[in-house]
Amino acid sequence: MQPEVHPDLEKLSFLIGRWEGVGVAGYADMDEFQFGQEIEFTNDGGPHLTYRSRVWRLTSDGSLADLWTSESGYWRCRPAEAAAPAEPDAAPVHVETLISHPEGYTEVYLGTVFASRVELVTDAVLRTETGDQVTAGRRLYGLFGDQRETLGYAWDMAARGHEVRSFMSAQLKQVT
């Protein structure tokens, strides 16, 4: 844990930094394509991480094309007493995440942290009148590789009348 990080964020401190890499996106009503991505997790000393992601389509030669989408929000750990599951067989909730999209919707996630892996499931999705018809999502973020140097993630979502299904995934390296 870095000394400037709020003590409540110890479980999420492995995410802090700027990450860059490539991934693939596609959905039931959308052709699959490759993208370049930058994700940044920062902490200003408070009990939350600030999150920002930007995604660009890749050209045929692998360079970045136009910005395709972005998202931003906050991740925070729940206090230990609030993390305990209400039901005996339920997993504890360690993290609450808010993610907003310029496509007119905001997701509220609840999740569990296991070592250097975070599993998130939507608790609510709020949309503007003209926002994308997203109704649910699941995300998995985690470090892997020999030195745990790669941040991988997978995002599954339910949208436009479809059940939850694969949407985006990427592998990113930390940029110093």
Side-chain angles (χ1 to χ4, degrees), residues 25-33 57:
Y27 201 66
D29 51 4
M30 179 175 63
D31 289 337
E32 191 173 281
F33 66 93
R57 284 184 179 266

Side-chain angles (χ1 to χ4, degrees), residues 72-85:
S72 62
Y74 299 95
W75 295 46
R76 61 189 202 139
C77 288
R78 292 179 77 165
E81 62 274 5

Side-chain angles (χ1 to χ4, degrees), residues 83-103:
E87 298 177 23
D89 294 335
V93 175
H94 299 126
V95 63
E96 300 168 331
T97 303
L98 304 165
I99 300 176
S100 292
H101 304 264
E103 293 84 10

